[in-house]
């Protein structure tokens, strides 16, 4: 009685829970399907990455003696959805049972729940133990807490895993060293990411995506595609991070520099999310670097917090609050996403143009670009929550809804009314000027708020605060900001509002914030 295990495109781990249940005679099914490639218009690099990593993983399973059925996208028999491929293979092979590690996205969980009801044999869905915190443990954490906060969760995980602990105490005597992590970058050189030649599998996939998915966003060619597609490459990326980047990771975690796309960030999110790396091994490697005196505590603690703190926390929130979570829009944001989010040449704002260029060329932007540039703009301009979430899910090589949605809807857009963040991450151009060198080469004046050339982040920020001030007054963390707003004169407030209105009207009618020179003389 042969059983079949369906392995999804982000389940590429040799220790995957469902694979542990298999007997030698059982079979693994992996399918490249149109429905997954197009449920949002993923960046071309993301699709190439997932397909190449899937093909490499299938080869590794075969090399380890597993029997694998692999259905490529172009197979004429391919029915192009995950569930219909299960049904097709059940009809042709009459398996006695199906196994699946639970999918990472709610829509797929719902689809497989439906399939269970119609499949003639059992479909066993097993827990995904590639995360440190189980759903039950996360529910236990939430229980009785009115305002769950990541920092409390993070401390619990430090204690339960023993990561960066000396007995019962945090290493270095503090849980969090973030106050040391806010430096703007000086003139120092930043390391280039490691490179490896593309193999024939990746080359074939790049060709496939470039011929079949021409209308998807982003640049994809051999020169700019450098994501790890197997565990060996993922370990090289991790090793490069630990030796060349981690020592400066903390200091410059929030910095942004023109033309420097990755700074000291780790570039491991794609590998973690695909299953090529394990969160604990990554944290252990960082801790070891600290214990060997290779990296300072502020860097190591800051990095580990991202993995066992934020990454686990957002996954816990996603499953605890879905499916209602995706419909939330507590600030009633509905302004259509400007066209320049898809084409940076349409904006004169250097900060946005840099973040969007990085995104288009590399399917990547680091956290502060995502949160404080594109996310902050979308928040203060009041962009449609649905459109912004779809944009983030489409454009990044590491994007899966379980991690993208809480970060976008919750952290960046404050649309969940404070479940994820205790206050909105809204900021004026002053923050971007402090943390980057962007403003020096921008056509807009970062120190101005109401003039024609004023930085749009400034008037949109104050306009946003004016619009939502009644809601925010009950939040003690917003009190100081609102006191500043209260000091503004009526004419100043009116000027800000009218700049924001002009800006929106211009972007709506032209797709761009840039004033055409013919119009400029009329203003
Ligand atoms: P580093 O800065 O080196 O951080 C190390 C690791 O910590 C990352 O690889 C990642 O696994 C983890 N991490 C850091 N911050 C977070 C976070 N807030 N949530 C979850 N994990 C975190 N991350 C994704 O993996 N997929 C997404 O779709 C995604 N969407 C985001 C959308 C928005 C609006 C924001 C603000 C953040 C988003 N993030 C997402 C989190 C974070 O920006 C990326 O994980 C990070 O930029 C990836 O680059 P890196 O590997 O160089 O990370
Ligand atoms: C992201 C993705 C893409 C683009 N394609 C496939 C695919 O063809 N086959 C597959 O099994 N998985 C794919 N994936 C990953 C799934 O979308 C992923 O499993 C869900 O998003 C759950 O996290
Ligand atoms: Fe961005 Fe404003 Fe600075 Fe220009 S001046 S780069 S728009 S923050």
């Amino acid at each position: 009685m042969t059983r079949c295990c369906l392995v999804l495109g982000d389940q590429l781990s040799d220790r995957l829970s469902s694979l542990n249940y298999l007997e030698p005679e059982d079979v693994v099914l992996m399918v490249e399907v149109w429905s997954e490639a197009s449920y949002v218009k993923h960046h071309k690099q993301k699709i190439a990455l997932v397909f190449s990593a899937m093909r490499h993983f299938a080869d590794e399973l075969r090399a380890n003696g597993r029997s694998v059925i692999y259905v490529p996208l172009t197979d004429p028999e391919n029915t192009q959805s995950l569930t219909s491929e299960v049904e097709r293979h059940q009809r042709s092979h009459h398996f006695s049972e199906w196994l699946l590690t639970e999918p990472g996205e709610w829509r797929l969980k719902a689809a497989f729940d439906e399939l269970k009801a119609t499949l003639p044999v059992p479909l066993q869905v097993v827990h995904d133990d590639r995360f440190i915190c189980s759903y039950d443990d996360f529910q236990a954490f939430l229980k009785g807490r009115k305002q769950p906060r990541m920092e409390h969760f993070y401390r619990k995980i430090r204690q339960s895993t023993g990561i960066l602990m000396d007995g019962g105490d945090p290493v270095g005597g503090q849980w969090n060293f973030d106050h040391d992590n806010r430096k703007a970058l000086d003139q120092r050189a930043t390391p280039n990411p490691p490179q490896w030649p593309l193999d024939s599998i990746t080359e074939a996939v790049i060709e496939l995506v470039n011929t079949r998915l021409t209308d998807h966003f982003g640049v994809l060619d051999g020169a700019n595609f450098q994501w790890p597609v197997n565990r060996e490459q993922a370990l090289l990326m991790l090793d490069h991070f630990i030796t060349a980047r981690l020592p400066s990771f903390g200091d410059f975690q929030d910095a942004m520099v023109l033309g420097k796309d990755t700074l000291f960030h780790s570039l491991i999110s794609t590998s973690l999310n695909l299953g090529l790396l394990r969160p604990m091994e990554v944290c252990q490697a960082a801790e070891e670097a600290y214990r060997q005196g290779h990296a300072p505590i502020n860097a190591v603690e800051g990095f580990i917090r991202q993995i066992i703190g934020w990454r686990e926390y957002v996954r816990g929130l996603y499953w605890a609050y879905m499916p209602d979570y995706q419909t939330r829009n507590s600030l009633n944001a509905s302004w259509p996403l400007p066209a320049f989010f898809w084409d940076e040449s349409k904006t004169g704002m250097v900060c946005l143009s840099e973040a969007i260029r990085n995104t288009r060329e590399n399917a990547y932007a680091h956290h502060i670009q995502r949160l404080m540039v594109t996310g902050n703009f979308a928040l203060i301009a009041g962009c449609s929550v649905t459109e912004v979430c779809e944009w983030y899910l489409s454009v990044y090589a590491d994007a899966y809804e379980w991690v993208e949605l809480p970060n976008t809807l919750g952290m960046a857009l404050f649309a969940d009314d404070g479940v994820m963040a205790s206050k909105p991450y809204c900021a004026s151009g002053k923050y971007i000027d402090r943390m980057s060198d962007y403003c020096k080469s921008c056509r807009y004046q970062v120190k101005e708020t109401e003039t024609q050339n004023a930085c749009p982040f400034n008037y949109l920020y104050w306009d946003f605060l004016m619009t939502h001030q009644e809601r925010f007054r009950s939040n003690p963390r917003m009190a100081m900001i609102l006191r500043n707003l209260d000091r503004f004169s009526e004419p100043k407030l009116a000027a800000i509002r009218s700049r924001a209105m002009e800006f929106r009207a211009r972007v709506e009618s032209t797709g761009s914030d840039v004033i055409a020179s013919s119009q400029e003389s009329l203003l």
Side-chain angles (χ1 to χ4, degrees), residues 162-181:
I163 283 279
L164 223 49
M165 297 293 292
D166 279 334
D169 297 321
V171 166
Q174 281 169 227
W175 292 102
N176 182 315
F177 291 81
D178 243 2
H179 52 80
D180 297 334
N181 288 355

Side-chain angles (χ1 to χ4, degrees), residues 6-24:
L6 176 69
V7 172
L8 303 178
D10 57 353
Q11 298 186 338
L12 311 180
S13 317
D14 55 357
R15 300 186 197 167
L16 190 71
S17 52
S18 51
L19 292 175
N20 289 335
Y21 287 82
L22 293 191
E23 301 296 338

Side-chain angles (χ1 to χ4, degrees), residues 241 249 265-269 272-273 303 306-307 310-311 314 364-367 370-371 392 396 398-400 403-404 407-408 411-412:
F241 170 68
F249 175 85
H265 291 273
S266 66
L267 306 175
I268 59 162
S269 52
L272 279 168
N273 297 350
F303 175 71
Q306 308 310 312
I307 313 262
W310 281 113
R311 187 170 185 271
V314 300
Y364 180 82
H366 60 74
H367 187 66
R370 294 189 207 195
L371 183 63
Y392 276 96
Y396 292 113
D398 59 20
Y400 299 89
V403 52
E404 173 276 327
N407 270 301
T408 309
M411 193 189 293

Side-chain angles (χ1 to χ4, degrees), residues 335-344 346-347 349 352 356 374 377-378 381-384 387-388 391 460 503-504 506-508 510-513:
W335 192 51
L337 190 70
F340 54 69
F341 268 72
W342 301 103
D343 175 0
E344 73 274 11
K346 292 198 166 91
T347 177
M349 293 176 271
L352 270 169
I356 295 162
T374 41
F377 176 87
C383 294
S384 149
E387 288 183 44
V388 179
W391 185 81
L460 290 173
F503 175 91
R504 287 201 181 83
R506 189 160 63 244
V507 172
E508 278 170 35
T510 66
S512 171
D513 51 287

Side-chain angles (χ1 to χ4, degrees), residues 432-471:
I432 295 173
D433 193 29
R434 190 167 68 242
M435 297 314 301
S436 78
D437 61 355
Y438 296 153
C439 304
K440 290 192 191 87
S441 53
C442 186
R443 71 177 63 214
Y444 297 109
Q445 302 302 312
V446 72
K447 294 207 161 48
E448 293 177 17
T449 303
E450 308 114 76
T451 58
Q452 192 195 319
N453 283 331
C455 164
F457 279 78
N458 290 345
Y459 48 75
L460 290 173
Y461 170 76
W462 292 112
D463 184 55
F464 169 78
L465 290 173
M466 264 188 268
T467 306
H468 299 292
Q469 55 181 312
E470 289 324 316
R471 168 185 290 267

